[in-house]
Amino acid sequence: MVYAALLAAGMGLPVNEDTVILATGAMADRGVVEMPWALIICYLGVLSGDFVLFMIGRHLGPRMLEMKFFQKVLPEERRLKTELMFSRRGPFAVFISR
């Protein structure tokens, strides 16, 4: 359940990762789940969600930019501005947006 919630949160569903991780920590504190397993499950859940979202963007991103919906959400001017920001300050931009 924890893994699925973190995976869903990483893929963009409105689930707060921090709340799930804190709840898992509370369960580990109360002995419901062992701490090493809680750490492993939380780590893998967050990592998996980020990886799946990255792969979706990598494979579908260019095609999605051609769809009318995404052209309205991310017009050419805004997309170019965003790409420039990432080329100049990529790691910092990812850190701030995360």
Side-chain angles (χ1 to χ4, degrees):
M1 185 70 151
V2 171
Y3 178 82
L6 291 171
L7 180 66
M11 293 173 40
L13 290 175
V15 177
N16 189 322
E17 288 178 338
D18 297 331
T19 304
V20 175
I21 292 169
L22 287 172
T24 306
M27 288 190 295
D29 184 55
R30 287 179 168 66
V32 176
V33 64
E34 293 180 30
M35 183 60 78
W37 285 112
L39 289 170
I40 291 169
I41 290 168
C42 287
Y43 180 77
L44 290 176
V46 170
L47 191 64
S48 298
D50 289 348
F51 179 74
V52 169
L53 191 60
F54 170 78
M55 293 307 290
I56 289 170
R58 182 176 176 156
H59 292 289
L60 299 179
R63 282 185 276 172
M64 292 175 82
L65 290 174
E66 297 171 3
M67 297 177 180
K68 287 189 182 234
F69 172 77
F70 287 102
Q71 288 175 352
K72 288 180 183 179
V73 173
L74 189 63
E76 182 74 15
E77 181 180 324
R78 187 184 299 168
R79 183 181 63 81
L80 292 173
K81 186 177 176 181
T82 304
E83 287 178 0
L84 179 63
M85 179 184 65
F86 272 102
S87 68
R88 288 183 179 169
R89 298 188 180 100
F92 182 71
V94 171
F95 176 77
I96 293 298
S97 67
R98 187 73 173 121

